[in-house]
mmCIF file of all heavy atoms in Angstrom:
data_model
loop_
_atom_site.group_PDB
_atom_site.id
_atom_site.type_symbol
_atom_site.label_atom_id
_atom_site.label_comp_id
_atom_site.label_asym_id
_atom_site.label_seq_id
_atom_site.Cartn_x
_atom_site.Cartn_y
_atom_site.Cartn_z
ATOM 1 N N GLY A 228 122.918 77.853 117.805
ATOM 2 C CA GLY A 228 122.659 77.495 119.195
ATOM 3 C C GLY A 228 122.665 75.993 119.358
ATOM 4 O O GLY A 228 121.716 75.319 118.953
ATOM 5 N N ASN A 229 123.731 75.440 119.919
ATOM 6 C CA ASN A 229 123.858 73.992 120.094
ATOM 7 C C ASN A 229 123.548 73.611 121.536
ATOM 8 O O ASN A 229 124.354 73.829 122.433
ATOM 9 C CB ASN A 229 125.278 73.534 119.730
ATOM 10 C CG ASN A 229 125.474 73.455 118.226
ATOM 11 O OD1 ASN A 229 124.526 73.626 117.461
ATOM 12 N ND2 ASN A 229 126.689 73.196 117.792
ATOM 13 N N GLU A 230 122.367 73.044 121.733
ATOM 14 C CA GLU A 230 121.918 72.672 123.084
ATOM 15 C C GLU A 230 121.879 71.174 123.296
ATOM 16 O O GLU A 230 122.339 70.667 124.315
ATOM 17 C CB GLU A 230 120.536 73.269 123.347
ATOM 18 C CG GLU A 230 119.985 72.926 124.724
ATOM 19 C CD GLU A 230 118.761 73.757 125.089
ATOM 20 O OE1 GLU A 230 118.642 74.909 124.616
ATOM 21 O OE2 GLU A 230 117.931 73.257 125.879
ATOM 22 N N LYS A 231 121.322 70.436 122.347
ATOM 23 C CA LYS A 231 121.098 68.997 122.521
ATOM 24 C C LYS A 231 122.202 68.209 121.804
ATOM 25 O O LYS A 231 122.251 68.173 120.578
ATOM 26 C CB LYS A 231 119.719 68.605 121.983
ATOM 27 C CG LYS A 231 118.572 69.278 122.726
ATOM 28 C CD LYS A 231 117.233 68.841 122.168
ATOM 29 C CE LYS A 231 116.073 69.441 122.959
ATOM 30 N NZ LYS A 231 115.986 70.904 122.793
ATOM 31 N N TYR A 232 123.043 67.570 122.587
ATOM 32 C CA TYR A 232 124.189 66.827 122.053
ATOM 33 C C TYR A 232 123.932 65.328 122.078
ATOM 34 O O TYR A 232 123.267 64.801 122.978
ATOM 35 C CB TYR A 232 125.445 67.151 122.862
ATOM 36 C CG TYR A 232 126.070 68.463 122.448
ATOM 37 C CD1 TYR A 232 125.578 69.667 122.939
ATOM 38 C CD2 TYR A 232 127.130 68.513 121.549
ATOM 39 C CE1 TYR A 232 126.131 70.885 122.548
ATOM 40 C CE2 TYR A 232 127.685 69.717 121.155
ATOM 41 C CZ TYR A 232 127.185 70.896 121.660
ATOM 42 O OH TYR A 232 127.727 72.088 121.267
ATOM 43 N N ASP A 233 124.501 64.634 121.081
ATOM 44 C CA ASP A 233 124.320 63.194 120.987
ATOM 45 C C ASP A 233 125.125 62.442 122.040
ATOM 46 O O ASP A 233 124.640 61.479 122.626
ATOM 47 C CB ASP A 233 124.742 62.698 119.594
ATOM 48 C CG ASP A 233 123.937 63.346 118.484
ATOM 49 O OD1 ASP A 233 122.821 63.820 118.765
ATOM 50 O OD2 ASP A 233 124.440 63.404 117.347
ATOM 51 N N ASP A 234 126.359 62.869 122.266
ATOM 52 C CA ASP A 234 127.260 62.120 123.137
ATOM 53 C C ASP A 234 127.810 62.946 124.287
ATOM 54 O O ASP A 234 128.728 62.501 124.984
ATOM 55 C CB ASP A 234 128.433 61.561 122.318
ATOM 56 C CG ASP A 234 127.975 60.486 121.343
ATOM 57 O OD1 ASP A 234 127.429 59.480 121.809
ATOM 58 O OD2 ASP A 234 128.150 60.662 120.126
ATOM 59 N N GLU A 235 127.302 64.149 124.485
ATOM 60 C CA GLU A 235 127.726 64.992 125.593
ATOM 61 C C GLU A 235 126.490 65.549 126.303
ATOM 62 O O GLU A 235 125.382 65.482 125.772
ATOM 63 C CB GLU A 235 128.608 66.155 125.099
ATOM 64 C CG GLU A 235 130.005 65.748 124.663
ATOM 65 C CD GLU A 235 130.882 65.281 125.809
ATOM 66 O OE1 GLU A 235 130.492 65.463 126.988
ATOM 67 O OE2 GLU A 235 131.955 64.731 125.543
ATOM 68 N N THR A 236 126.695 66.086 127.480
ATOM 69 C CA THR A 236 125.583 66.709 128.198
ATOM 70 C C THR A 236 125.070 67.923 127.421
ATOM 71 O O THR A 236 125.819 68.559 126.676
ATOM 72 C CB THR A 236 126.035 67.157 129.590
ATOM 73 O OG1 THR A 236 127.182 67.987 129.455
ATOM 74 C CG2 THR A 236 126.376 65.960 130.463
ATOM 75 N N ASP A 237 123.800 68.221 127.597
ATOM 76 C CA ASP A 237 123.210 69.365 126.911
ATOM 77 C C ASP A 237 123.746 70.676 127.481
ATOM 78 O O ASP A 237 124.287 70.722 128.587
ATOM 79 C CB ASP A 237 121.687 69.333 127.049
ATOM 80 C CG ASP A 237 121.056 68.183 126.275
ATOM 81 O OD1 ASP A 237 121.767 67.557 125.468
ATOM 82 O OD2 ASP A 237 119.864 67.911 126.494
ATOM 83 N N VAL A 238 123.602 71.740 126.708
ATOM 84 C CA VAL A 238 124.035 73.080 127.123
ATOM 85 C C VAL A 238 122.785 73.879 127.477
ATOM 86 O O VAL A 238 122.005 74.237 126.592
ATOM 87 C CB VAL A 238 124.833 73.780 126.004
ATOM 88 C CG1 VAL A 238 125.228 75.188 126.428
ATOM 89 C CG2 VAL A 238 126.065 72.967 125.648
ATOM 90 N N LEU A 239 122.610 74.145 128.754
ATOM 91 C CA LEU A 239 121.407 74.825 129.217
ATOM 92 C C LEU A 239 121.150 76.127 128.457
ATOM 93 O O LEU A 239 122.029 76.981 128.364
ATOM 94 C CB LEU A 239 121.521 75.140 130.707
ATOM 95 C CG LEU A 239 121.347 73.987 131.695
ATOM 96 C CD1 LEU A 239 121.633 74.475 133.110
ATOM 97 C CD2 LEU A 239 119.946 73.407 131.608
ATOM 98 N N TYR A 240 119.953 76.254 127.913
ATOM 99 C CA TYR A 240 119.412 77.493 127.336
ATOM 100 C C TYR A 240 120.104 77.931 126.035
ATOM 101 O O TYR A 240 119.845 79.050 125.562
ATOM 102 C CB TYR A 240 119.482 78.650 128.349
ATOM 103 C CG TYR A 240 119.049 78.271 129.734
ATOM 104 C CD1 TYR A 240 119.849 78.562 130.838
ATOM 105 C CD2 TYR A 240 117.842 77.611 129.955
ATOM 106 C CE1 TYR A 240 119.461 78.207 132.128
ATOM 107 C CE2 TYR A 240 117.446 77.246 131.241
ATOM 108 C CZ TYR A 240 118.261 77.550 132.320
ATOM 109 O OH TYR A 240 117.867 77.186 133.585
ATOM 110 N N ALA A 241 120.950 77.103 125.433
ATOM 111 C CA ALA A 241 121.650 77.539 124.224
ATOM 112 C C ALA A 241 120.683 77.826 123.079
ATOM 113 O O ALA A 241 120.893 78.757 122.290
ATOM 114 C CB ALA A 241 122.681 76.487 123.791
#
Side-chain angles (χ1 to χ4, degrees):
N229 282 354
E230 180 168 331
K231 297 181 176 67
Y232 280 82
D233 300 338
D234 292 300
E235 288 292 349
T236 54
D237 291 348
V238 178
L239 285 174
Y240 316 129

